Amino acid sequence: QITTRWTKNDPRLSYIEIGDVDISSGAVGPTVMYRSDAPASAQVVVAENDVLVATVRPSRKNVGIVPATTHMMPVVASAAFSVLRFDTPESAVFYRAFLRSDAATQQLVRWNSGTTYPTIEAEVATCVLVPRYDGAVVERLGRRWLAKFEAIYGAQRLIDAAKLLVEHLIDGRLHEADLVA
């Protein structure tokens, strides 16, 4: 479990909140913001391929994986996540899939605090009992799921670039001839 706190020394950050995790795919879309705009919940410094387990409403199976970044600013997750780091990217995506299973969710849910808005402590994610899988299985399936995430993140970058180009075209900062060139 990763608990490294963000020191708030950087002028900008890439922030991940619970709403930035696509529940169906596990893809994460961080938001770049200035330090002054960061919410109080921006607390845990994360790295590429860290697994984020939502501690709020664990029955929703909101488990994501941190994408690679090309910028030089810290990536900071909300305190509403338990952040898990694995030895390899393949094992991270493999166990991310397990943490979304009914078996893992039932274990997380039994630790709910008795509120109308169920939450669990961040440490609970490390207490989930996980079957021992053969290393070759973890590696093989992990590579396949890792390729899936790379494709999802690549597609998102293409969509973002297309949106930016269209916005610039509409604003007159870009002309059709520039696009053709």
Side-chain angles (χ1 to χ4, degrees):
Q1 182 175 28
I2 302 302
T3 58
T4 307
R5 295 287 178 197
W6 177 45
T7 59
K8 302 183 182 183
N9 292 334
D10 304 280
R12 292 177 16 136
L13 71 143
S14 188
Y15 175 62
I16 302 169
E17 64 183 5
I18 289 182
D20 293 329
V21 177
D22 181 326
I23 292 178
S24 63
S25 70
V28 175
T31 304
V32 175
M33 63 179 59
Y34 288 99
R35 174 183 57 217
S36 59
D37 296 330
S41 61
Q43 293 185 13
V44 184
V45 177
V46 297
E48 177 181 356
N49 297 317
D50 281 352
V51 175
L52 305 176
V53 181
T55 59
V56 177
R57 297 193 296 184
S59 60
R60 293 188 70 219
K61 301 182 179 191
N62 198 358
V63 182
I65 190 148
V66 178
T69 60
T70 56
H71 51 70
M72 299 305 294
M73 64 184 82
V75 181
V76 181
S78 166
F81 287 113
S82 177
V83 181
L84 306 176
R85 187 165 295 157
F86 292 84
D87 293 335
T88 66
E90 293 81 10
S91 59
V93 295
F94 181 88
Y95 287 106
R96 180 234 160 237
F98 177 79
L99 287 164
R100 284 188 37 83
S101 73
D102 289 341
T105 302
Q106 288 171 4
Q107 291 180 63
L108 292 172
V109 169
R110 75 172 194 196
W111 291 92
N112 275 348
S113 59
T115 65
T116 56
Y117 199 71
T119 61
I120 58 173
E121 296 294 323
E123 296 78 26
V124 170
T126 65
C127 298
V128 172
L129 298 176
V130 179
R132 289 186 192 262
Y133 293 100
D134 181 71
V137 171
V138 172
E139 179 75 19
R140 182 173 42 83
L141 292 176
R143 266 195 312 263
R144 287 180 56 198
W145 288 326
L146 196 56
K148 169 195 144 185
F149 279 102
E150 289 169 355
I152 289 170
Y153 291 132
Q156 188 59 52
R157 285 191 298 275
L158 288 172
I159 291 168
D160 292 344
K163 285 180 185 176
L164 185 64
L165 288 172
V166 168
E167 289 171 3
H168 285 263
L169 190 61
I170 291 170
D171 293 344
R173 292 182 276 170
L174 184 68
H175 302 287
E176 189 176 343
D178 298 326
L179 287 176
V180 172

